[in-house]
Amino acid sequence: MNISIIGVGKVKENFMAKAIDEYTKRLSRYCKLNIIEVPDEKAPENLSQKEMEQVKGAEGENILKHVKEGMYVIALDIQGKMLSSEELADKMEKLGLQGNSSIAFIIGGSLGLSNEVRKRADFRLSFSPMTFPHQLMRVILLEQIYRGFRIMKNEPYHK
């Protein structure tokens, strides 16, 4: 299975980068992982609604450049559907069995996702009604993907 994580912004904190590296290493047993960072647009405080949409639109264009034909796109969206770890594992397993061997998870920037990215998504996934920094979300997502593969293989870890 090919998994891409397309995220807005760079990981700046060393401890976050180390966690990402650790899960990348762990996942290498289960899938081919590709982490793609797209630049975040400058978004000063007190933007108008129109300016926010422009920022999200520019970030969305950069995200969609990396979405290849045939990819199953899962957008992380606070308004998406919440799944348990077991349900996410089941979803990934079913996608593989249905021939969707290429999955892209998308993490938006500080303002969220553009409407174009939401429309392109095959599934919108919410981890919580809370907002998380996109760098931390990358770590959480990687951990859940790893947990999902362990669940699929009936390997210990997920309890």
Side-chain angles (χ1 to χ4, degrees):
M1 185 172 280
N2 296 309
I3 304 241
S4 296
I5 296 177
I6 306 168
V8 174
K10 292 193 177 304
V11 173
K12 297 175 182 112
E13 284 83 8
N14 192 34
F15 67 95
M16 294 273 191
K18 285 182 179 177
I20 290 167
D21 288 345
E22 177 62 27
Y23 283 110
T24 299
K25 185 173 77 179
R26 291 182 186 191
L27 280 164
S28 67
R29 293 180 47 211
Y30 302 102
C31 66
K32 184 176 182 291
L33 180 66
N34 186 22
I35 297 177
I36 301 160
E37 293 179 337
V38 299
D40 52 349
E41 297 292 315
K42 300 294 177 236
E45 299 291 322
N46 304 320
L47 290 178
S48 69
Q49 189 64 37
K50 183 179 178 186
E51 290 168 322
M52 282 194 262
E53 293 304 319
Q54 289 172 332
V55 168
K56 289 193 292 188
E59 290 174 347
E61 284 179 28
N62 285 329
I63 288 168
L64 292 173
K65 286 178 191 172
H66 296 281
V67 174
K68 307 289 184 243
E69 192 171 323
M71 280 183 159
Y72 187 91
V73 176
I74 299 176
L76 274 57
D77 185 351
I78 201 165
Q79 297 164 356
K81 180 173 173 53
M82 284 194 225
L83 300 177
S84 68
S85 297
E86 292 80 8
E87 288 170 328
L88 180 59
D90 186 56
K91 181 161 195 66
M92 291 186 339
E93 187 169 38
K94 283 180 179 167
L95 286 170
L97 293 172
Q98 294 166 351
N100 294 302
S101 61
S102 188
I103 302 172
F105 289 89
I106 297 176
I107 303 171
S110 60
L111 299 176
L113 296 169
S114 69
N115 287 332
E116 292 75 24
V117 171
R118 280 193 174 104
K119 286 178 192 160
R120 173 55 185 90
D122 297 295
F123 186 80
R124 293 181 4 207
L125 175 65
S126 175
F127 276 77
S128 168
M130 291 186 263
T131 302
F132 296 102
H134 59 269
Q135 296 178 42
L136 179 58
M137 198 62 238
R138 211 173 292 180
V139 174
I140 294 169
L141 175 61
L142 283 167
E143 191 280 334
Q144 285 298 302
I145 294 169
Y146 174 69
R147 184 180 296 265
F149 278 110
R150 300 287 292 194
I151 291 168
M152 282 186 254
K153 305 282 185 193
N154 290 316
E155 296 174 349
Y157 174 76
H158 63 281
K159 295 193 178 186

